[in-house]
PDB file of all heavy atoms in Angstrom:
ATOM      1  N   LEU Y 261      63.208  93.446  22.792  1.00 89.00           N
ATOM      2  CA  LEU Y 261      63.655  92.359  23.628  1.00 89.00           C
ATOM      3  C   LEU Y 261      64.402  91.297  22.831  1.00 89.00           C
ATOM      4  O   LEU Y 261      65.267  90.561  23.306  1.00 89.00           O
ATOM      5  CB  LEU Y 261      62.635  91.709  24.503  1.00 89.00           C
ATOM      6  CG  LEU Y 261      62.103  92.495  25.677  1.00 89.00           C
ATOM      7  CD1 LEU Y 261      60.859  91.851  26.229  1.00 89.00           C
ATOM      8  CD2 LEU Y 261      63.140  92.623  26.721  1.00 89.00           C
ATOM      9  N   GLN Y 262      64.100  91.252  21.486  1.00 83.00           N
ATOM     10  CA  GLN Y 262      64.780  90.229  20.697  1.00 83.00           C
ATOM     11  C   GLN Y 262      65.742  90.847  19.611  1.00 83.00           C
ATOM     12  O   GLN Y 262      66.260  90.154  18.820  1.00 83.00           O
ATOM     13  CB  GLN Y 262      63.729  89.314  19.974  1.00 83.00           C
ATOM     14  CG  GLN Y 262      62.780  90.057  19.102  1.00 83.00           C
ATOM     15  CD  GLN Y 262      63.329  90.279  17.642  1.00 83.00           C
ATOM     16  OE1 GLN Y 262      63.852  89.422  17.099  1.00 83.00           O
ATOM     17  NE2 GLN Y 262      63.145  91.444  17.185  1.00 83.00           N
ATOM     18  N   GLY Y 263      65.859  92.175  19.653  1.00 73.00           N
ATOM     19  CA  GLY Y 263      66.694  92.870  18.667  1.00 73.00           C
ATOM     20  C   GLY Y 263      68.136  92.809  18.907  1.00 73.00           C
ATOM     21  O   GLY Y 263      68.657  92.121  19.943  1.00 73.00           O
ATOM     22  N   ASN Y 264      68.960  93.411  18.065  1.00 62.00           N
ATOM     23  CA  ASN Y 264      70.411  93.366  18.209  1.00 62.00           C
ATOM     24  C   ASN Y 264      70.915  93.993  19.478  1.00 62.00           C
ATOM     25  O   ASN Y 264      71.922  93.589  20.015  1.00 62.00           O
ATOM     26  CB  ASN Y 264      71.101  94.035  17.007  1.00 62.00           C
ATOM     27  CG  ASN Y 264      70.819  93.266  15.707  1.00 62.00           C
ATOM     28  OD1 ASN Y 264      70.779  92.029  15.758  1.00 62.00           O
ATOM     29  ND2 ASN Y 264      70.852  94.006  14.537  1.00 62.00           N
ATOM     30  N   GLY Y 265      70.122  94.898  19.988  1.00 65.00           N
ATOM     31  CA  GLY Y 265      70.529  95.669  21.220  1.00 65.00           C
ATOM     32  C   GLY Y 265      69.942  95.061  22.462  1.00 65.00           C
ATOM     33  O   GLY Y 265      69.975  95.616  23.550  1.00 65.00           O
ATOM     34  N   ALA Y 266      69.331  93.881  22.308  1.00 73.00           N
ATOM     35  CA  ALA Y 266      68.647  93.299  23.512  1.00 73.00           C
ATOM     36  C   ALA Y 266      69.598  92.888  24.567  1.00 73.00           C
ATOM     37  O   ALA Y 266      70.790  92.548  24.268  1.00 73.00           O
ATOM     38  CB  ALA Y 266      67.856  92.008  23.055  1.00 73.00           C
ATOM     39  N   ARG Y 267      69.182  92.952  25.811  1.00 83.00           N
ATOM     40  CA  ARG Y 267      70.000  92.529  26.884  1.00 83.00           C
ATOM     41  C   ARG Y 267      70.184  91.020  26.893  1.00 83.00           C
ATOM     42  O   ARG Y 267      69.284  90.248  26.744  1.00 83.00           O
ATOM     43  CB  ARG Y 267      69.381  93.001  28.250  1.00 83.00           C
ATOM     44  CG  ARG Y 267      69.488  94.527  28.410  1.00 83.00           C
ATOM     45  CD  ARG Y 267      68.742  95.006  29.593  1.00 83.00           C
ATOM     46  NE  ARG Y 267      68.955  94.239  30.755  1.00 83.00           N
ATOM     47  CZ  ARG Y 267      68.697  94.734  32.047  1.00 83.00           C
ATOM     48  NH1 ARG Y 267      68.405  96.000  32.184  1.00 83.00           N
ATOM     49  NH2 ARG Y 267      68.857  93.983  33.096  1.00 83.00           N
ATOM     50  N   LYS Y 268      71.402  90.620  27.232  1.00 85.00           N
ATOM     51  CA  LYS Y 268      71.759  89.216  27.218  1.00 85.00           C
ATOM     52  C   LYS Y 268      71.167  88.475  28.415  1.00 85.00           C
ATOM     53  O   LYS Y 268      71.053  87.230  28.403  1.00 85.00           O
ATOM     54  CB  LYS Y 268      73.247  89.001  27.176  1.00 85.00           C
ATOM     55  CG  LYS Y 268      73.929  89.741  25.992  1.00 85.00           C
ATOM     56  CD  LYS Y 268      73.383  89.272  24.691  1.00 85.00           C
ATOM     57  CE  LYS Y 268      74.090  89.909  23.546  1.00 85.00           C
ATOM     58  NZ  LYS Y 268      73.542  89.598  22.219  1.00 85.00           N
ATOM     59  N   ASP Y 269      70.763  89.176  29.453  1.00 90.00           N
ATOM     60  CA  ASP Y 269      70.275  88.549  30.664  1.00 90.00           C
ATOM     61  C   ASP Y 269      68.789  88.417  30.691  1.00 90.00           C
ATOM     62  O   ASP Y 269      68.151  88.038  31.667  1.00 90.00           O
ATOM     63  CB  ASP Y 269      70.694  89.276  31.932  1.00 90.00           C
ATOM     64  CG  ASP Y 269      70.212  90.740  31.948  1.00 90.00           C
ATOM     65  OD1 ASP Y 269      69.788  91.230  30.861  1.00 90.00           O
ATOM     66  OD2 ASP Y 269      70.215  91.374  32.962  1.00 90.00           O
ATOM     67  N   ILE Y 270      68.080  88.687  29.515  1.00 93.00           N
ATOM     68  CA  ILE Y 270      66.663  88.494  29.417  1.00 93.00           C
ATOM     69  C   ILE Y 270      66.370  87.614  28.258  1.00 93.00           C
ATOM     70  O   ILE Y 270      66.879  87.856  27.143  1.00 93.00           O
ATOM     71  CB  ILE Y 270      65.943  89.861  29.257  1.00 93.00           C
ATOM     72  CG1 ILE Y 270      66.112  90.732  30.505  1.00 93.00           C
ATOM     73  CG2 ILE Y 270      64.401  89.686  28.965  1.00 93.00           C
ATOM     74  CD1 ILE Y 270      65.506  92.083  30.441  1.00 93.00           C
ATOM     75  N   GLN Y 271      65.579  86.603  28.439  1.00 92.00           N
ATOM     76  CA  GLN Y 271      65.211  85.693  27.371  1.00 92.00           C
ATOM     77  C   GLN Y 271      63.759  85.987  26.956  1.00 92.00           C
ATOM     78  O   GLN Y 271      62.926  86.342  27.768  1.00 92.00           O
ATOM     79  CB  GLN Y 271      65.292  84.184  27.873  1.00 92.00           C
ATOM     80  CG  GLN Y 271      64.582  84.009  29.217  1.00 92.00           C
ATOM     81  CD  GLN Y 271      64.836  82.627  29.739  1.00 92.00           C
ATOM     82  OE1 GLN Y 271      64.650  81.642  29.012  1.00 92.00           O
ATOM     83  NE2 GLN Y 271      65.077  82.543  31.030  1.00 92.00           N
ATOM     84  N   LEU Y 272      63.432  85.818  25.640  1.00 92.00           N
ATOM     85  CA  LEU Y 272      62.149  85.962  25.069  1.00 92.00           C
ATOM     86  C   LEU Y 272      61.736  84.627  24.498  1.00 92.00           C
ATOM     87  O   LEU Y 272      62.321  84.086  23.611  1.00 92.00           O
ATOM     88  CB  LEU Y 272      62.132  87.057  24.048  1.00 92.00           C
ATOM     89  CG  LEU Y 272      60.747  87.340  23.432  1.00 92.00           C
ATOM     90  CD1 LEU Y 272      59.862  88.015  24.419  1.00 92.00           C
ATOM     91  CD2 LEU Y 272      60.889  88.194  22.199  1.00 92.00           C
ATOM     92  N   ILE Y 273      60.567  84.155  24.955  1.00 89.00           N
ATOM     93  CA  ILE Y 273      59.987  82.875  24.471  1.00 89.00           C
ATOM     94  C   ILE Y 273      58.805  83.146  23.644  1.00 89.00           C
ATOM     95  O   ILE Y 273      57.844  83.887  24.083  1.00 89.00           O
ATOM     96  CB  ILE Y 273      59.602  81.971  25.695  1.00 89.00           C
ATOM     97  CG1 ILE Y 273      60.881  81.737  26.538  1.00 89.00           C
ATOM     98  CG2 ILE Y 273      59.044  80.697  25.181  1.00 89.00           C
ATOM     99  CD1 ILE Y 273      60.553  81.337  27.939  1.00 89.00           C
ATOM    100  N   ASP Y 274      58.752  82.657  22.464  1.00 87.00           N
ATOM    101  CA  ASP Y 274      57.751  82.879  21.494  1.00 87.00           C
ATOM    102  C   ASP Y 274      56.974  81.599  21.202  1.00 87.00           C
ATOM    103  O   ASP Y 274      57.526  80.612  20.833  1.00 87.00           O
ATOM    104  CB  ASP Y 274      58.310  83.369  20.138  1.00 87.00           C
ATOM    105  CG  ASP Y 274      57.461  83.448  18.968  1.00 87.00           C
ATOM    106  OD1 ASP Y 274      56.197  83.263  19.187  1.00 87.00           O
ATOM    107  OD2 ASP Y 274      57.943  83.668  17.878  1.00 87.00           O
ATOM    108  N   GLY Y 275      55.673  81.627  21.574  1.00 80.00           N
ATOM    109  CA  GLY Y 275      54.892  80.429  21.333  1.00 80.00           C
ATOM    110  C   GLY Y 275      53.687  80.655  20.559  1.00 80.00           C
ATOM    111  O   GLY Y 275      53.107  81.834  20.424  1.00 80.00           O
ATOM    112  N   ALA Y 276      53.035  79.667  19.955  1.00 80.00           N
ATOM    113  CA  ALA Y 276      51.808  79.788  19.202  1.00 80.00           C
ATOM    114  C   ALA Y 276      50.720  80.226  20.142  1.00 80.00           C
ATOM    115  O   ALA Y 276      50.667  79.922  21.310  1.00 80.00           O
ATOM    116  CB  ALA Y 276      51.483  78.407  18.537  1.00 80.00           C
TER     117      ALA Y 276
END
Side-chain angles (χ1 to χ4, degrees):
L261 287 171
Q262 61 84 46
N264 291 331
R267 288 173 45 159
K268 304 303 182 185
D269 60 343
I270 295 178
Q271 52 184 312
L272 182 70
I273 302 159
D274 169 10

